[in-house]
Amino acid sequence: MTAATHSTLFPQVPDSADAVLEGLDPEQREVATALHGPVCVLAGAGTGKTRAITHRIAYGVRAGILHPSSVLAVTFTNRAAGEMRGRLRQLGAGGVQARTFHSAALRQLQYFWPKAIGGAMPRLVDRKIQLVADAAAACRIRLDRGELRDVTAEIEWSKVTQTVPADYAPAAAKAGRESPRDPAEIAQLYAAYEDVKRERSVIDFEDVLLLTVAVLQDRHDIADQIRAQYQHFVVDEYQDVSPLQQRLLELWLGERDSLCVVGDASQTIYSFTGATPDHLLDFRTRHPGATVVKLVRDYRSTPQVVHLANGLLAQARGRAADHRLELVSQRAAGPEPVYAEYTDEPAEAEGAARRIRELVDSGVPASEIAVLFRTNAQSETYEQALADAAVPYQLRGAERFFDRPEVRKAGIALRGAARFGGNDSLLDDVVDLPSQVRAVLSGEGWTTQPPAGSGAVRERWESLAALVNLAQDFAAARPAATLADLVAELDERANAQHAPTVQGVTLASLHSAKGLEWDVVFLVGVAEGMMPITYAKTDEQIEEERRLLYVGVTRAREHLHVSWALSRSPGGRPSRRPSRFLDGLRPGSTATAGRTAAGGAGGIERGIPGTRGSAPKRAQRVPARCRVCGRTLTDPGEMKLMRCDDCPSDMNEGLYERLREWRANQARSSGQPAFCVFTDRTLMAIAESAPDDERELARIPGVGMRKLTRYGADVLAICAGQSLAESTDHD
């Protein structure tokens, strides 16, 4: 369940641009009002990143700064794009384009194909497997079904990393990929696959991006036409951008810098598809003038869940770990995570189903519960266990809600009733909107009580029940609404793929759970060999498995259950052990050697306007821990001082007074308040640490790059006991 569906379904559209900003925290507000120049939002799980960027777009549109048709918001899934369109519509910015990379590129390619290439555009194929099978047959190479999937994945990776068949072997070796077959055979199959496509005049999804890139590179007139339309870009989940998508984004932008990217390196879990967080982590290097905003206030999860999430990343290694964000829960305390060990996998599934049955019986909606696992193959055991416990469920990754046959038929029935309801005997005795919808959908198979068991019949009922619930929410928000109004709302939601919530426990892989959240999450199969998965061998692969578990933990709002089984089957040898990622976190375990990563604190860093070229090197910030007692600091004031308020201060009073006097002079000469130069807390921190050089000064929270450049020389001179005149003469 997404944050959008968890909140009010039909909020009132804000009546002004300023009203769009209401309810945002200081960092989110900074994102929303930073409408010019490059902006990088480093957003931890549950920190409201979608809220921040949709309010940014809506504020710009409502304030007249951004024209709706000039904005292109890009994300990675149709669901996310649909949610973004739905939110923008609710904020009064419905004309903004929110699309996936592929959808935006396909639209442009279809429009410009006659002008750029001529003739009819090749047919786009949905699935590659049959084409790969035909390529293998042409090469006289036998592939079983599993190998077909693996070879297809290698071809997709090659294309998004812009690797041609002849370069596959060295590129795969450099990337540390374990080829499913001999690399020379993969290269041969890849080349044959491209030949098959050409012979049949078809293209695949990666070709859509490759061809759009080629057109924009070769035809400057077409590139200029696209750039004239889209002048402002927002990219969500930027840590998942592939080299090919990054190239397309650069071509869309041209020489401009009106770009806002949002991401979290700690949620990079798709590197096997070619995604890399390097574009996010290098953003400040490519755009030295960028405003960087860190969102660390977690509104989703309780402190107990957040503590486990932070603990997982505290032991992480690698570049993404160096830039991790330490979340700070904004919610009231909740229950501690529950850890459970079972003898075998069926017992684990039965234990989860039994607990879920208890939760549902106690009043927890089934739609607020999820069971998350590492591989899709684990799903069947839980489907059976939930069915045996008479608990409804739904599988993530099934067809989209508005594409389901029963939903399409229900829409036709509701549209007919809206037009000709006066002649429909079903509606003779009903007055209010929800009753009308229930009456119409009863003819499509909806009943007041769900059918017994699970399977297709139950899934159809769940779809219709979701429409009934949506009608009730719609009528509550808009009492005067008619059936025709509801049909119009459904049409808009279908266009935006903004689906209502289907009742039923969600069964999903950890990868497909990205971007979702529930009140209760069961993380199952958290054992060595499954988490991390057996084939994760390198340090980079192990760390991605850790990040995958982190994503799973941060899906939970309040209740988190973590479990594992000692053997796969009943009676099997109990040779498994809990995942190493839980060492030091679950009761009774010992912590493994870890590290404290930098960059944990939230806040805002402004770039130097107009700066181009390589970014100046910045001193790495120290962890947000008290320098006296070592306690982790979360209070912004304490983080400024780098110590607890009640820990003893070693501040140089004379230095503090000289800094205050200097600040007053600076404020008078610039005509701004004194705190805009440095806050009292920052001056106290400077007076306590008395930095000797720029590196030490840059470590102090509140001394960003801009202030370091502007005031650094003066502050260091004062700390050294020099007068500013002496410092100037010396320089």
Side-chain angles (χ1 to χ4, degrees):
M1 190 174 185
T2 64
T5 56
H6 187 59
S7 60
T8 304
L9 282 171
F10 301 98
Q12 295 297 314
V13 174
D15 58 9
S16 67
D18 287 341
V20 172
L21 302 178
E22 292 177 1
L24 300 181
D25 68 32
E27 290 80 26
Q28 291 172 342
R29 182 179 285 256
E30 182 68 25
V31 174
T33 55
L35 297 174
H36 301 288
V39 178
C40 179
V41 184
L42 302 176
T47 57
K49 69 177 179 64
T50 305
R51 176 179 174 83
I53 58 175
T54 52
H55 281 69
R56 177 184 190 270
I57 296 169
Y59 175 72
V61 169
R62 299 292 299 276
I65 299 170
L66 305 178
H67 193 278
S69 63
S70 73
V71 180
L72 179 59
V74 188
T75 188
F76 283 81
T77 66
N78 287 314
R79 180 199 59 76
E83 179 183 325
M84 189 175 288
R85 287 192 292 270
R87 290 200 190 193
L88 289 170
R89 183 163 58 89
Q90 292 168 351
L91 292 169
V96 173
Q97 291 291 318
R99 297 181 175 275
T100 65
F101 271 101
H102 284 90
S103 172
L106 179 60
R107 196 168 183 236
Q108 294 170 12
L109 193 62
Q110 289 171 329
Y111 183 82
F112 288 108
W113 187 274
K115 180 178 180 180
I117 312 296
M121 182 175 156
R123 180 173 61 87
L124 177 64
V125 293
D126 291 333
R127 302 179 73 237
K128 300 182 180 68
I129 289 235
Q130 187 56 54
L131 293 175
V132 175
D134 293 343
C139 297
R140 298 184 179 180
I141 297 175
R142 294 180 61 85
L143 300 176
D144 62 30
R145 188 165 186 81
E147 288 176 318
L148 271 175
R149 285 196 300 268
D150 291 341
V151 171
T152 300
E154 288 305 293
I155 291 174
E156 291 175 347
W157 173 82
S158 300
K159 299 184 80 165
V160 301
T161 56
Q162 303 176 82
T163 302
V164 298
D167 294 337
Y168 169 78
K174 183 179 179 181
R177 294 182 74 84
E178 290 190 16
S179 298
R181 295 180 72 96
D182 182 88
E185 277 191 337
I186 300 290
Q188 183 185 3
L189 289 165
Y190 179 13
Y193 168 79
E194 293 298 313
D195 290 339
V196 169
K197 286 198 291 108
R198 277 190 293 271
E199 291 167 4
R200 300 179 186 180
S201 189
V202 297
I203 59 175
D204 60 29
F205 277 102
E206 287 71 41
D207 290 329
V208 170
L209 300 184
L210 285 163
L211 289 167
T212 305
V213 165
V215 168
L216 295 180
Q217 286 180 158
D218 295 342
R219 293 293 300 268
H220 299 293
D221 56 330
I222 293 176
D224 289 341
Q225 193 171 340
I226 291 175
R227 291 167 191 161
Q229 176 178 359
Y230 295 120
Q231 298 166 23
H232 308 278
F233 295 85
V234 176
V235 184
D236 194 10
E237 304 288 3
Y238 193 56
Q239 78 278 352
D240 291 332
V241 165
S242 70
L244 179 55
Q245 290 165 331
Q246 175 65 21
R247 180 60 185 144
L248 178 59
L249 178 61
E250 290 167 354
L251 288 167
W252 281 339
L253 273 168
E255 296 299 316
R256 300 164 302 174
D257 64 358
S258 186
L259 171 66
C260 175
V261 301
V262 190
D264 179 10
S266 296
Q267 296 188 69
T268 304
I269 58 173
Y270 298 108
S271 65
F272 60 91
T273 67
T276 170
D278 289 346
H279 304 300
L280 175 67
L281 299 178
D282 293 338
F283 191 83
R284 193 67 177 270
T285 302
R286 296 195 313 276
H287 302 280
T291 297
V292 178
V293 184
K294 297 179 181 179
L295 305 182
V296 298
R297 303 176 200 247
D298 188 321
Y299 298 96
R300 175 188 298 160
S301 305
T302 62
Q304 287 73 17
V305 173
V306 166
H307 178 73
L308 176 57
N310 286 337
L312 278 172
L313 293 188
Q315 300 178 25
R317 298 179 179 276
R319 193 177 183 213
D322 288 340
H323 294 80
R324 74 178 179 90
L325 299 169
E326 186 162 350
L327 302 177
V328 181
S329 176
Q330 306 298 299
R331 294 193 55 181
E336 291 290 340
V338 175
Y339 299 88
E341 183 173 276
Y342 294 90
T343 56
D344 52 64
E345 289 184 4
E348 184 181 6
E350 290 167 9
R354 187 165 53 250
R355 178 59 183 140
I356 290 170
R357 178 76 264 173
E358 293 170 356
L359 289 167
V360 172
D361 290 344
S362 70
V364 177
S367 59
E368 286 293 353
I369 304 172
V371 178
L372 306 182
F373 32 74
R374 176 62 179 85
T375 67
N376 287 316
Q378 295 168 268
S379 172
E380 184 178 359
T381 305
Y382 289 88
E383 292 178 53
Q384 185 62 55
L386 290 173
D388 291 344
V391 175
Y393 65 87
Q394 58 171 327
L395 292 170
R396 281 291 303 171
E399 61 188 329
R400 294 184 296 186
F401 180 83
F402 288 105
D403 292 339
R404 297 175 187 176
E406 66 271 18
V407 174
R408 290 201 300 269
K409 285 184 63 180
I412 293 170
L414 290 170
R415 188 172 287 104
R419 290 179 180 174
F420 311 112
N423 300 320
D424 193 335
S425 59
L426 282 172
L427 304 181
D428 286 347
D429 299 324
V430 296
V431 179
D432 63 354
L433 177 59
S435 298
Q436 290 176 324
V437 172
R438 287 193 291 268
V440 172
L441 296 188
S442 65
E444 301 299 320
W446 179 82
T447 56
T448 55
Q449 295 297 321
S454 58
V457 174
R458 178 60 183 251
E459 289 177 5
R460 285 195 293 272
W461 184 89
E462 294 286 359
S463 297
L464 298 177
L467 292 175
V468 170
N469 293 335
L470 185 71
Q472 293 170 341
D473 292 327
F474 189 66
R478 303 178 188 176
T482 65
L483 192 55
D485 293 329
L486 176 64
V487 169
E489 172 69 21
L490 290 174
D491 287 342
E492 288 197 40
R493 282 174 166 257
N495 291 333
Q497 285 301 329
H498 185 195
T501 303
V502 176
Q503 294 299 314
V505 172
T506 299
L507 295 177
S509 70
L510 288 165
H511 282 102
S512 65
K514 177 79 167 59
L516 303 176
E517 58 186 72
W518 297 268
D519 283 345
V520 186
V521 168
F522 287 78
L523 291 176
V524 300
V526 189
E528 286 291 307
M530 195 61 72
M531 181 60 65
I533 199 77
T534 305
Y535 54 75
K537 303 293 187 184
T538 66
D539 290 343
E540 291 78 8
Q541 291 168 340
I542 296 294
E543 287 307 317
E544 181 145 340
E545 293 288 298
R546 186 194 306 275
R547 294 194 295 270
L548 190 56
L549 183 57
Y550 171 80
V551 167
V553 168
T554 55
R555 300 310 94 195
R557 296 195 191 101
E558 187 169 359
H559 297 276
L560 181 62
H561 298 254
V562 184
S563 64
W564 57 91
L566 297 178
S567 66
R568 180 173 183 178
S569 305
R573 188 165 61 91
S575 57
R576 293 180 176 177
R577 63 173 295 268
S579 170
R580 71 190 75 170
F581 299 147
L582 299 178
D583 290 349
L585 301 175
R586 62 182 176 85
S589 63
T590 304
T592 55
R595 64 189 289 179
T596 302
I604 302 156
E605 298 173 10
R606 303 188 192 281
I608 306 169
T611 304
R612 293 189 177 274
S614 297
K617 291 185 178 179
R618 300 182 70 246
Q620 191 178 42
R621 294 190 182 276
V622 297
R625 296 183 183 277
C626 176
R627 54 192 170 81
V628 180
C629 70
R631 182 178 68 85
T632 299
L633 302 176
T634 56
D635 178 76
E638 292 183 341
M639 290 166 66
K640 287 268 190 183
L641 293 176
M642 294 306 294
R643 65 169 174 81
C644 307
D645 274 334
D646 54 0
C647 281
S649 169
D650 53 358
M651 183 176 69
N652 183 323
E653 296 287 351
L655 174 57
Y656 179 63
E657 290 305 319
R658 290 196 299 276
L659 288 168
R660 281 174 57 86
E661 183 180 353
W662 164 82
R663 182 183 66 174
N665 291 333
Q666 289 290 332
R668 279 194 297 271
S669 63
S670 62
Q672 60 182 344
F675 69 82
C676 290
V677 180
F678 284 120
T679 65
D680 286 346
R681 287 271 186 173
T682 300
L683 286 189
M684 289 175 65
I686 294 171
E688 288 185 354
S689 60
D692 293 326
D693 54 34
E694 283 193 356
R695 181 180 296 275
E696 292 183 7
L697 180 58
R699 288 198 183 104
I700 299 173
V703 182
M705 183 177 291
R706 182 176 62 84
K707 293 188 179 183
L708 184 66
T709 302
R710 186 170 184 180
Y711 303 127
D714 282 2
V715 171
L716 290 172
I718 295 170
C719 290
Q722 301 173 0
S723 70
L724 294 185
E726 289 173 349
S727 174
T728 303
D729 292 343
H730 178 72
D731 291 339

